Each structure stands twice: as C-alpha cells, then as structure tokens.
Amino acid sequence: MLSPVRAPYQQPYQTRLASRTAWSAWSLLALITCIYLLPGIVGHGPWKQDEGYSFGVIHHMLMTGEYLVPTNAGQPFMEKPPLYYWTAVIFAKALYPWLSYADGARMTSVFYMLVTFHFVALIAKTAWREDSFFNLRVLGTLTLFAGTAGMVKHAHDMFTDVSLVCGGVIAMYGLLRIALNEQTRTPRLSAALWFGLGVGIAEMSKGLFVPIIYAASAFWVAILVRECRSWSYLRMVGLAVLVALPFLLIWPALLAHHAMPLFMEWFWDNNVGRFFGFSVRKLGSDNDSTVIFRALSGFAMPGTPLAILALLAGDWRLVRQPRIAIPVIFCAICIAILLASATARQLYLLPLVLPLCLLGSGVVERLPFWISLTWDWFSRLFFGIVTGLLWAIYLISIGPPEYHYHLTYLGKWLPLAYVTPMQPFALAGAIVITLTWLACLPKIRLCGKWRGAFSWFAGITMMWGIAFTLILPWGDYAKSYEYVYEDLQAELTPAWRQGDCMASISLGETEAPMLLYYTGILHQPIDKTRKTDCRWVIVQHPFGTGTPEGEWTQFWKGSRDGDEQTFTVYERQLPAAAPATVSSAATN
C-alpha cells in the first residue's frame, strides 16, 4: 500500500502512463486502418464493371456541373441515386491536381468506410455494453466485419454500395439504440436521428432495397422485443421517418419535376422492375437462384459460419433481446427478398455482412480453444504463403519478359509480356505492411479465443495490401481501358477534323465513359435505323456487329491484352468531289 506521502507523486506518473498507452493504441489502430484502406485506392484507372460507369457519372458532373440527373457518357443513367456521386465530386475537386480525378473520387470510399468502421465499433460497444473501444469483443467484431472477404474487396471500389453499407450500419446502430433504450425506459432522440439518417443515406445511395428491409425490421422488432411494444418506441420510429423524409422525397421530387420519364425509369424500372423481373431483359443482371447461397458460403466468410454456430449454440433462445433480434430479423428479411427478387448479385449481400458478424461475434468466446488455435495457424500459414508467392511474382515480373514463363498460370488474367515498373514508394509500403504483420503475430497470440479472428483479419489485410502495392501496375494494365484508348487517340489525332463526331454500336456502359475520359470523344449511340451523320463509328465486339449505312473502311482495331471484347473504329468514305467541266469553268 502506498504511503500518503508517496501517493501524490505516483498519480501523475500513472496518468502519463495511461495517456501514453492510449496514444500508442490509437496510433497502432490508425496505422492498421491505413494499411487496410489505402492500398488499391490510388494508382489505377476506373476498372470494369462498376467503377467504369460510376466514374462516368462523376466525370460528367465534374465537367458540366449538372448534378440532378446522373449521366454516363452523355446518356441518363438512372440505376442509382446520386449521393455517392455528389460526395465523389467534392473529393475529386478538393484533391485535384495532387490526385487524378479518378483517384480523388475513389477517396470517397475511404471516407465512407471510416464512418462505417466508427459505427460498427459503436454497435459492438453498445451490444456488448463495453466502456472502451479497445475491448477484445469490440475490436473482434470490427475485425470480423472488416476481414470479410467481400468487404475487403468492395471497400476499395468506387461505387455506390460503399455509401449504402455506411448508411445501413448507421441505421442499425440507431435501431439498436432505440430498442435498448426502450428496455431501460430511457428513450433518446439521438437514436432516432441515427436511424433516420442511416436509412436516408442508404436510400440516396442505391434506392429502396435497404430502407424497405429496415422498415420491416422495425416492425418485427416491435413484435419480438416486448419492451418495444410501446408508444415511446412508435414515437422514436416516427421521428426517424421524419429525419429520413428529406432523403426520400427531395431528390425524387426534383427529378420527377425535371423529367417524369427519368423518374419512372429510376423508381419503376430500377427498383420495382428489378424485383418483379419485368425490366430485367432491358437492364440485365438476372438471378440464377444460387448466387445468394454461393455468396453466403464465400463472399460473406467468415461471418456466415460463425452466425450459424452462434444460433445453433443457443443464441436463438435470446431472439427477444435486441442484440440478437435485430441482426436475425435483418438477415431473414434481406435473404428472403434477394431469393424472391428477379435480380441478384453477390455484392447485394454487402448490407448483410454486419448483422452476420454481429451474430457471429457472440459465439467466438464459446468456441473450443483448439478451433481458435487452428483458425489462427491456418490464417498465418495460408495468408503467409500467399503473400510470399505475391512477393515472388513481383520479383519475377520486374525482370526481363523472357523469365516470365514462370508465371504462365497468371497469363489467363495478366499479360505476361508486361514488365512491372519499380516503384520505390509502393515497394516501401509493401515492406511496411509485411513487417507490421510479422510484428503483430506475437501480439495476436495474447488475444485468447479471439486470436483466430484477429489472425484472419491481419492475414487478409496483408495479402490485399501486398497485391495492390506491388502488382497494381500490372493489374491496371490488364483491367484499365487507358492503354487501349491512348493507342486509339494516337492513331486518330492526325486524322480527326474539326466538327467530327463518333457514333457507336453496342458500346458498353463502362467502355463509353472511359472513351470520353481518356480521349475526350463523346460517343453518339446509333439506334435500330443504323443511320448517322458522323464520320467515325466505334463498334464493340462481340455485342455489336456491322456498320451504319454508307461506305466504311476499318481505321483501327484494339483491345485490352487477353480480353475477348475488341473495339473497331471505322471511317466513313466520303464521295469524291465531281471534277469541274470545261463549260462550267468557262462560265466562271
């Protein structure tokens, strides 16, 4: 026991020690966040499929200042509302010229993911009734979420689903707070504010899908959670609706006032029609009835097996508690809607990642120790070996092409003749990522039964980081349209005349905006009459065939290396001017 004389001198030291420890913890968390989020954000062009059309809309807003109607390469693009695009315009303008417009716009995803991580931590802190963000349960739930295979990939993409996930996470925090406050009979307006704000962000990101799920979830929470069958709960949900109303009404009303056909295309075709199927033939992306189960078994790993184990281990008995009821209800409604929908893709399950991980986090501490140990060592060995292979691939790829035969297997996706450039900054980043992983391994052993989850997160983060620092230029050469269109521009510039235009046949929603971005040429799609006044036409094969009416000769043909889709540019053969006759010359 400290004497009264020594105690006053000991207290400042303990305060400084705690302050130093907290500073170190936050610094480490910031470093890990940068390692997770930054690789893959800058240094490459918009990639097919979703980034191409997303940046097409952003680029149009940057060039024209028209923000109401999402427009992609001159054509209205009514699949998604414009919240993400608006935010991306702000980041692109703010970061230019330090970053290209494409890289600056992609930083929008970093912003939304930072907000998402904060609210995931708040949800875990609230659900587990913990006081600190650095509790193992809180950090463990966050690593389960961030380490999900689908989240690692799509958190770095430039598209609206990133802000959709952000809105969904904020809404779940708000609904959880509302339900827990009802249990303690301490309703707070802030919970309704977060619930309504999250629903509004989700609606302005991708339409009605997630707001409908949360509306149904709020109803079923009132059925399952006894304390939520009250006027107080109804008032909180009603206030949340009022908060969400500006998001739900203002942009759709302005769009309808501007052009009712465009509003109907967004609301009726892209929201209602994609579910019931009457617009699938027009818009594409059907549902093969197995995509959801394939996504749950791979895309949503490791959340899916942990959530199932948690329910089998007895958490189903706690389904009347908000911590279990809300994620169970959300998962059930979301999966049911996706199974019934005529349109489904794996990325549609992104809003499902958090509730799966929230359920799964409840069983981690009840797993037998050998499972945690096996999960830990599997992650160390698997991701360590894959990362070692990535380093080997990099070292071979920066060498002469005659040695690239060692990488023959990768020729299915990457052009083997490409020599990866030596980038000192990227190389230094990859070294830091690898050393950070090695330094974290001894610490992970101290995490008890959470060691498997932390080891998985550390491994998959390292693997992604190494791939998207060292091998990013190679991947960009294979996936970007920059090199294809730069070759076209080099050939076309000497022959292009003032007043020329370029028609197009079957040019895709990704390829068309990239043509505009890299060459400055705005295509003019040809309708079924196959008539155009343009001197040039570009045809994307194999979707498009033939040429418009008139005499055309092939001017240029190109494609991305190894890509089955090719582009052919034709030049119209203008009729030669008739020679002047002698009589007419005499008359003149």
Side-chain angles (χ1 to χ4, degrees):
M1 181 176 179
L2 292 175
S3 68
V5 177
R6 295 182 61 191
Y9 298 96
Q10 188 71 11
Q11 187 173 358
Y13 170 75
Q14 292 174 337
T15 303
R16 288 196 301 271
L17 183 62
S19 177
R20 254 189 232 122
T21 303
W23 185 88
S24 300
W26 283 108
S27 298
L28 179 61
L29 186 61
L31 174 63
I32 293 172
T33 302
C34 290
I35 290 174
Y36 179 91
L37 284 178
L38 294 183
I41 291 294
V42 298
H44 68 89
W47 287 355
K48 192 175 180 176
Q49 170 180 1
D50 298 288
E51 282 202 340
Y53 67 74
S54 296
F55 184 69
V57 176
I58 297 164
H59 186 237
H60 175 84
M61 292 181 177
L62 285 167
M63 296 298 103
T64 65
E66 298 174 356
Y67 301 106
L68 179 61
V69 180
T71 303
N72 182 26
Q75 307 300 311
F77 188 78
M78 305 311 303
E79 285 192 11
K80 287 106 178 174
L83 177 62
Y84 183 92
Y85 308 137
W86 291 342
T87 316
V89 168
I90 295 173
F91 276 93
K93 286 184 174 181
L95 296 174
Y96 186 82
W98 300 283
L99 294 178
S100 68
Y101 279 141
D103 286 344
R106 203 178 287 109
M107 290 296 293
T108 308
S109 295
V110 175
F111 164 73
Y112 278 115
M113 288 308 301
L114 287 173
V115 177
T116 300
F117 288 159
H118 175 68
F119 277 91
V120 171
L122 282 176
I123 288 172
K125 188 167 170 280
T126 302
W128 294 111
R129 303 180 188 277
E130 298 290 349
D131 296 327
S132 172
F133 284 111
F134 292 101
N135 180 274
L136 274 180
R137 286 179 171 179
V138 176
L139 291 178
T141 304
L142 182 57
T143 56
L144 284 177
F145 173 82
T148 301
M151 190 58 62
V152 172
K153 197 277 179 198
H154 290 299
H156 302 84
D157 285 340
M158 174 177 42
F159 70 156
T160 57
D161 292 74
V162 179
S163 56
L164 172 72
V165 171
C166 180
V169 169
I170 295 173
M172 183 159 290
Y173 172 70
L175 184 56
L176 178 64
R177 287 293 338 168
I178 289 174
L180 290 175
N181 291 341
E182 290 301 318
Q183 285 192 320
T184 58
R185 300 184 183 279
T186 56
R188 295 184 179 179
L189 297 180
S190 60
L193 172 66
W194 291 125
F195 187 33
L197 179 63
V199 169
I201 291 173
E203 191 276 336
M204 279 298 292
S205 296
K206 208 171 178 180
L208 302 178
F209 173 53
V210 169
I212 287 174
I213 295 175
Y214 270 111
S217 297
F219 171 80
W220 281 103
V221 166
I223 300 296
L224 286 180
V225 181
R226 180 174 55 84
E227 294 84 356
C228 292
R229 302 170 204 159
S230 64
W231 287 109
S232 175
Y233 176 80
L234 188 61
R235 283 194 298 271
M236 290 296 103
V237 173
L239 179 60
V241 172
L242 292 178
V243 173
L245 275 181
F247 297 91
L248 301 174
L249 295 180
I250 293 178
W251 177 76
L254 291 174
L255 179 64
H257 181 265
H258 173 77
M260 182 58 71
L262 293 179
F263 170 80
M264 292 303 295
E265 182 180 348
W266 168 71
F267 174 75
W268 190 248
D269 291 344
N270 280 286
N271 284 276
V272 181
R274 282 188 181 274
F275 179 80
F276 289 103
F278 56 79
S279 64
V280 169
R281 179 173 296 182
K282 172 185 174 183
L283 302 175
S285 187
D286 58 358
N287 187 347
D288 66 1
S289 75
T290 64
V291 64
I292 304 304
F293 296 105
R294 286 189 280 112
L296 288 171
S297 61
F299 181 90
M301 293 289 286
T304 301
L306 289 175
I308 294 172
L309 283 175
L311 294 176
L312 294 177
D315 280 0
W316 64 271
R317 297 187 183 92
L318 305 175
V319 75
R320 296 187 179 277
Q321 296 298 316
R323 181 179 69 83
I324 302 298
I326 292 174
V328 166
I329 290 170
F330 188 94
C331 288
I333 295 173
C334 182
I335 293 173
I337 290 177
L338 289 176
L339 287 175
S341 175
T343 300
R345 293 174 60 191
Q346 289 197 33
L347 62 85
Y348 291 2
L349 269 74
L350 280 174
L352 206 61
V353 170
L354 175 61
L356 287 173
C357 293
L358 189 59
L359 284 173
S361 63
V363 79
V364 171
E365 295 179 354
R366 289 178 281 164
L367 293 173
F369 184 76
W370 68 267
I371 293 182
S372 302
L373 186 64
T374 303
W375 189 8
D376 177 15
W377 278 102
F378 169 80
S379 301
R380 293 172 186 243
L381 294 173
F382 176 76
F383 292 116
I385 291 171
V386 172
T387 301
L389 290 174
L390 289 173
W391 273 102
I393 290 169
Y394 170 72
L395 293 175
I396 295 173
S397 69
I398 62 176
E402 54 264 29
Y403 295 104
H404 290 187
Y405 67 88
H406 296 291
L407 307 175
T408 302
Y409 179 76
L410 298 177
K412 300 177 183 178
W413 306 281
L414 301 171
L416 296 181
Y418 182 81
V419 177
T420 303
M422 177 75 74
Q423 298 177 309
F425 186 77
L427 180 60
I431 293 172
V432 169
I433 292 171
T434 306
L435 292 178
T436 302
W437 179 72
L438 291 172
C440 287
L441 291 182
K443 305 294 184 183
I444 289 174
R445 296 174 58 188
L446 306 178
C447 295
K449 292 188 176 181
W450 282 98
R451 62 187 293 176
F454 283 103
S455 187
W456 174 277
F457 168 77
I460 199 170
T461 300
M462 176 184 63
M463 181 183 70
W464 176 273
I466 297 301
F468 279 81
T469 50
L470 297 180
I471 311 177
L472 180 61
W474 196 4
D476 188 46
Y477 184 79
K479 293 179 67 67
S480 173
Y481 288 97
E482 177 181 359
Y483 310 100
V484 181
Y485 287 141
E486 282 184 349
D487 180 60
L488 168 62
Q489 188 175 33
E491 296 289 332
L492 193 60
T493 299
W496 189 269
R497 302 172 186 169
Q498 186 176 2
D500 275 359
C501 62
M502 181 174 287
S504 67
I505 296 177
S506 299
L507 194 61
E509 63 186 16
T510 294
E511 293 78 6
M514 294 303 97
L515 175 68
L516 175 61
Y517 180 54
Y518 290 119
T519 69
I521 299 173
L522 179 63
H523 78 128
Q524 298 184 15
I526 295 177
D527 58 20
K528 295 179 180 179
T529 62
R530 291 288 178 118
K531 293 181 179 179
T532 180
D533 294 328
C534 289
R535 181 169 162 241
W536 305 90
V537 63
I538 183 170
V539 183
Q540 181 176 345
H541 305 283
F543 308 111
T545 56
T547 56
E549 291 183 355
E551 296 295 326
W552 300 82
T553 58
Q554 181 175 314
F555 176 82
W556 172 88
K557 186 173 184 179
S559 69
R560 298 182 299 179
D561 281 5
D563 195 348
E564 295 180 356
Q565 297 180 21
T566 60
F567 305 95
T568 306
V569 172
Y570 296 91
E571 181 181 8
R572 183 191 295 273
Q573 294 302 299
L574 299 176
T581 62
V582 176
S583 59
S584 62
T587 304
N588 292 332

